[in-house]
Amino acid sequence: MNVAVMKTKAEQAISESFEVAAAKLPGSAAVQARRAQAIGAFSGLGLPHRRIEEWKYTDLRANLKEVLPAAVEDKTPLTIAELLVALGPLAHVDAHRIVFVNGHYRAGLSDTSDAAGLMTSTIAKALQSASEEAVARLASTPEGGDAVEALNTAFMTDGAIVEVAKGASVNRPLLMIFVRAGSDANAVTVRNLINAGEGASATIIEADVVLPGAVRDTHLNTLTEVSVGKGATLNHVKVAVDEGKSLHLSNWEVRLAADANYSGFQFSSGLGFARNGINVLFDGEGSKLDLSGAYLARHSEHVDTTLVVDHAVPHCESRELFKGVLDGHGRGVFQGKIIVRPDAQKTDGKQMSQALMLSEDAEFDSKPELEIYADDVVCGHGTTSAELDPDLLFYCRSRGIPEKEARALMIESFIGEALDKVEHEGLREALASYAMQWLGRSRRG
Amino acid sequence: MLEIKNLHVKLEDEDREILKGLSLTVPKGEVHAIMGPNGSGKSTLAYVLAGRDGYEVTDGDILWNGESILEMEPDERAAKGVFLAFQYPMEIPGVAGLTFLRTALNAVRKKRGETELTTPAFLKLAKEKGAKLNIDVEMLKRPVNVGFSGGEKKRSEILQMGLLEPTLCVLDETDSGLDIDALRVVSEGVNALRSPDRAFLVITHYQRLLNYIVPDKVHVLADGRIQKTGGKELALELEKSGYAEYSNKAA
Ligand SMILES: Nc1ncnc2c1ncn2[C@@H]1O[C@H](COP(=O)(O)OP(=O)(O)O)[C@@H](O)[C@H]1O
Ligand SMILES: [Mg+2]
């Protein structure tokens, strides 16, 4: 009997793609060894599919048929003006900027010159000279074997390393821009490391955008590891805006030290097939987590948000609020697990996931889970899915507001509650503008 | 002029006729009151005028300025000057009053071939008209009607009416849930809008409102039809004798 696991064509192609790319991927010998180990781990795991509980609604194996070549290098010409066009409403946010084109750092487009308290460098550079010890930090893959994160380690080309100095309060947000440009459909793999030092405070935005006219059917695999130090405050926002053809695999691995304040927000519209994983570990007492997001999907787009909030220590608070707007055959998936470990007394956790269904063919799957092993805790979760209220629509229309605009107003009001979680006003307005663009409405003057 | 001719209306999902051949004419410049017992079809008439789904007109017609409005969408009717002040105004969480008012006003202006108002011009107008109804900017910044008292909701309906400048104003039990002071403010708001090219249809269950908004005519609606028409003294009669007479007729 043949012991080899049956592999899909795509799984084989991924391994072959690694053979081709390996020599061009950045990294010292220690890094190359780590990459080889990761692709080995992936081979064992294969692409996650619907018979794996956490991937029940999001069958990656069935949806990743064509393997694109890894974007090992990039020379696509791109000007600042083009970058601003690609950014859209976010271009109006006054921010420090670090830019990656097709997964490769572009010094010429970046500007972090006056960012006091903020140190930025790149993964590619760090990998080049990484010792064995450094590899453990730069290319860690969480235990338990996540195939997507293993692929990230194997293929990562670049990304940002961000250090917010101890006690520093950074004046403006840092905008990490990942722009896709050019006409080559390829697979872009990015790794970011963010570390907010003790007592620091900063706002960091990740933006996945596409230059108008650029190829749309790309694959993205992004892993951002975040560590929030004791008493530090980090506002972390991810914006992914596309036009329905791309495959997005995104992961956030967040670790919170004691008395930390972490507010994470994810906005997406037009993602073809997306899995947004967010894992948060409470690693010190007295911390607060506020996770929220809004996603807009239509046609046959698929957006999955899968959270694991791990209350490993007592006296922490977590809040989650995710809102999805689903039109056409769009499908939203929400899986939210709150774990309260035996020691984590006085945990306060609340989770809410809501979908607004704009069409009969849209689908929403929600799976909240509470795993509670402590007795003195307050935890709750809720899920709702509703259509636009016809009485409200009539009320708006009776005031002269045309149907399309009335619907847009209702949709804006639905996601508004989530957007309100974004503290930075300019950023909040930019997100509202993306939503309005999606709704086919112009910016409100 | 509003002309309602032999209007028959049934519920879309139920084989129950609510309006059974209602006819009524309101010339411009006049205020007509419709009074009637609960369940007689007053709100149904108001909704059918504004174009709400869920009702089926099986016979008859509604003409506004000589044009049938039955096939028009609610927003088209609004652009043609039709306005319904709701018996139960809706709450719209997440939409600021100012945003709502501006969206509505500019939509209507656009359809009427007028230029849209700039933000400062709109704000000035909203403040001015709001002040007359004791509605300040803070209240307008709040989500539409959310957490408003009954009186606040009715006042904000009248503000919407004042801003949109309709020519056919239908008020559905605008007096319900109002104390005497609020009733005065609301009535003053309505009276300020009375003009030779506006028609009003004021629906009420009680005579009280008509002391403030004095009608040219009073119609009694019972059993889906206008049972009697008279001057403003008819309202006083009804206050004394009640609707029993008409309900008997209906039975
Ligand atoms: N959407 C509806 N669904 C079910 N019944 C309705 C609906 N609208 C009106 N009705 C019924 O029609 C009748 C007239 O109601 P309505 O027009 O609200 O009366 P009024 O405003 O005079 O009190 C009542 O019996 C009411 O229950
Ligand atoms: Mg009524």
Side-chain angles (χ1 to χ4, degrees):
Chain A
M1 200 177 85
N2 194 343
V3 289
V5 189
M6 276 292 283
K7 280 200 198 170
T8 65
K9 267 190 184 161
E11 285 161 353
Q12 266 168 23
I14 287 172
S15 297
E16 285 161 22
S17 169
F18 181 75
E19 301 300 319
V20 175
K24 287 183 176 164
L25 289 165
S28 60
V31 171
Q32 299 303 359
R34 182 73 190 86
R35 290 185 190 275
Q37 190 192 341
I39 198 74
F42 168 76
S43 288
L45 294 162
L47 287 167
H49 51 80
R50 64 191 159 80
R51 281 190 297 280
I52 296 175
E53 186 60 21
E54 298 82 51
W55 293 81
K56 184 170 149 192
Y57 303 108
T58 299
D59 193 331
L60 184 60
R61 191 168 71 183
N63 283 276
L64 203 167
K65 291 278 190 219
E66 194 199 351
V67 175
L68 301 174
V72 286
E73 55 189 357
D74 185 75
K75 298 208 166 54
T76 316
L78 190 73
T79 63
I80 289 266
E82 286 173 316
L83 179 69
L84 294 179
V85 170
L87 271 180
L90 263 185
H92 301 286
V93 176
D94 182 24
H96 307 292
R97 207 165 61 208
I98 179 163
V99 181
F100 297 83
V101 182
N102 296 328
H104 296 268
Y105 177 59
R106 271 299 163 88
L109 298 174
S110 303
D111 181 8
T112 53
S113 51
D114 65 340
L118 192 69
M119 284 148 297
T120 55
S121 57
T122 66
I123 288 279
K125 203 169 147 204
L127 291 176
Q128 293 297 1
S129 57
S131 62
E132 294 252 3
E133 214 181 7
V135 167
R137 190 172 57 83
L138 291 169
S140 69
T141 295
E143 298 303 319
D146 180 289
V148 173
E149 295 191 350
L151 283 178
N152 190 282
T153 297
F155 284 98
M156 60 179 164
T157 54
D158 210 344
I161 300 179
V162 181
E163 280 280 337
V164 187
K166 186 175 168 182
S169 178
V170 183
N171 58 350
R172 291 183 288 156
L174 170 68
L175 184 52
M176 302 170 23
I177 305 167
F178 303 92
V179 58
R180 276 161 292 141
S183 52
D184 295 331
N186 48 27
V188 173
T189 308
V190 166
R191 172 79 61 112
N192 302 303
L193 295 178
I194 298 171
N195 183 28
E198 203 177 309
S201 122
T203 296
I204 296 179
I205 308 159
E206 286 178 61
D208 271 330
V209 294
V210 189
L211 184 69
V215 66
R216 291 283 165 172
D217 35 5
T218 46
H219 292 175
L220 253 86
N221 181 334
T222 305
L223 170 56
T224 301
E225 290 187 48
V226 180
S227 169
V228 186
K230 192 166 185 287
T233 297
L234 185 68
N235 296 313
H236 183 198
V237 174
K238 176 161 183 163
V239 181
V241 177
D242 213 319
E243 280 173 12
K245 285 192 170 167
S246 51
L247 183 118
H248 286 243
L249 301 170
S250 158
N251 278 294
W252 278 3
E253 295 287 345
V254 183
R255 207 193 114 267
L256 306 179
D259 301 316
N261 254 305
Y262 175 79
S263 154
F265 188 93
Q266 296 201 341
F267 175 90
S268 80
S269 70
L271 305 191
F273 185 86
R275 163 79 161 203
N276 300 310
I278 306 177
N279 292 324
V280 182
L281 172 67
F282 283 102
D283 208 11
E285 298 185 18
S287 291
K288 277 190 180 174
L289 164 72
D290 205 335
L291 266 187
S292 44
Y295 52 93
L296 313 173
R298 57 161 65 107
H299 307 306
S300 54
E301 294 161 12
H302 178 117
V303 180
D304 172 325
T305 305
T306 296
L307 316 174
V308 178
V309 174
D310 190 345
H311 283 269
V313 296
H315 295 286
C316 289
E317 183 187 297
S318 60
R319 294 284 179 274
E320 294 93 42
L321 174 66
F322 282 78
K323 297 235 183 188
V325 178
L326 304 168
D327 201 356
H329 285 83
R331 185 174 182 194
V333 175
F334 179 86
Q335 306 187 102
K337 186 192 275 189
I338 303 176
I339 305 170
V340 181
R341 306 276 171 192
D343 284 344
Q345 300 297 0
K346 303 288 178 192
T347 288
D348 175 355
K350 281 193 188 63
Q351 177 175 286
M352 175 56 84
S353 162
Q354 299 181 315
L356 181 62
M357 314 297 279
L358 299 181
S359 105
E360 282 183 7
D361 298 319
E363 185 178 336
F364 178 55
D365 302 289
S366 182
K367 195 178 84 177
E369 275 179 281
L370 298 177
E371 259 182 38
I372 301 179
Y373 304 102
D375 48 18
D376 187 11
V377 302
V378 184
C379 281
H381 63 75
T383 294
T384 66
S385 133
E387 293 165 22
L388 286 176
D389 180 345
D391 289 336
L392 270 186
L393 273 177
F394 169 65
Y395 187 62
C396 292
R397 297 186 68 195
S398 77
R399 269 60 183 137
I401 303 173
E403 182 172 17
K404 191 172 174 219
E405 218 173 327
R407 288 170 68 93
L409 207 57
M410 301 287 89
I411 295 164
E412 278 175 59
S413 102
F414 172 76
I415 61 169
E417 194 195 342
L419 294 187
D420 281 346
K421 299 272 186 181
V422 176
E423 218 168 273
H424 189 283
E425 194 182 347
L427 181 54
R428 197 171 57 240
E429 279 170 13
L431 296 180
S433 294
Y434 284 118
M436 275 188 254
Q437 282 178 1
W438 186 84
L439 291 165
R441 303 227 306 158
S442 54
R443 271 174 79 85
R444 257 194 242 112
Chain B
M1 183 158 76
L2 171 69
E3 297 162 274
I4 303 173
K5 296 177 174 171
N6 185 33
L7 190 67
H8 287 259
V9 173
K10 74 181 247 328
L11 297 171
E12 217 162 56
D13 311 331
E14 254 178 77
D15 257 338
R16 185 145 65 94
E17 196 167 49
I18 313 285
L19 300 181
K20 307 169 181 173
L22 185 148
S23 295
L24 181 67
T25 300
V26 187
K28 277 189 177 181
E30 291 193 8
V31 174
H32 286 206
I34 292 192
M35 301 184 71
N38 279 328
S40 59
K42 301 184 298 294
S43 290
T44 301
L45 174 63
Y47 283 141
V48 171
L49 281 166
R52 183 183 170 162
D53 285 340
Y55 302 100
E56 195 182 319
V57 175
T58 53
D59 201 1
D61 204 351
I62 302 174
L63 307 183
W64 174 232
N65 296 333
E67 189 181 11
S68 174
I69 59 169
L70 286 182
E71 294 300 315
M72 293 181 191
E73 296 294 322
D75 45 296
E76 289 176 66
R77 298 184 195 202
K80 295 269 181 194
V82 179
F83 183 93
L84 167 63
F86 282 54
Q87 180 172 3
Y88 304 106
M90 311 286 299
E91 299 185 1
I92 319 182
V95 178
L98 284 171
T99 305
F100 180 70
L101 290 175
R102 190 149 84 90
T103 309
L105 180 56
N106 279 336
V108 162
R109 288 181 67 98
K110 212 164 121 185
K111 278 224 191 90
R112 292 180 188 160
E114 299 164 25
T115 55
E116 293 185 28
L117 286 185
T118 62
T119 304
F122 164 75
L123 267 179
K124 185 162 173 278
L125 189 68
K127 271 189 208 166
E128 232 171 68
K129 301 224 169 185
K132 292 194 182 125
L133 291 157
N134 293 340
I135 295 175
D136 60 14
V137 179
E138 283 317 303
M139 194 170 148
L140 291 175
K141 282 183 181 164
R142 285 162 60 187
V144 180
N145 289 331
V146 177
F148 284 19
S149 69
E152 286 173 328
K153 284 182 183 170
K154 294 299 170 78
R155 277 188 279 138
S156 78
E157 291 289 286
I158 302 305
L159 173 61
Q160 292 175 18
M161 188 163 91
L163 279 168
L164 296 178
E165 298 185 327
T167 44
L168 174 60
C169 306
V170 182
L171 282 75
D172 190 3
E173 302 220 17
T174 297
D175 51 337
S176 67
L178 293 188
D179 61 27
I180 203 78
D181 292 325
L183 188 62
R184 191 170 294 131
V185 173
V186 163
S187 305
E188 278 167 12
V190 173
N191 286 329
L193 287 168
R194 288 180 79 152
S195 93
D197 32 57
R198 250 185 212 122
F200 283 84
L201 200 56
V202 178
I203 294 169
T204 180
H205 188 69
Y206 302 103
Q207 181 270 338
R208 190 178 66 152
L209 176 70
L210 304 179
N211 289 333
Y212 296 91
I213 305 173
V214 181
D216 296 292
K217 279 199 177 135
V218 175
H219 307 275
V220 182
L221 172 58
D223 191 32
R225 245 184 249 136
I226 301 296
Q227 306 286 354
K228 189 172 183 180
T229 295
K232 59 176 185 271
E233 62 294 339
L234 178 56
L236 288 166
E237 261 172 52
L238 286 167
E239 189 77 354
K240 268 191 232 124
S241 58
Y243 296 110
E245 181 192 340
Y246 305 100
S247 302
N248 288 346
K249 218 181 255 179

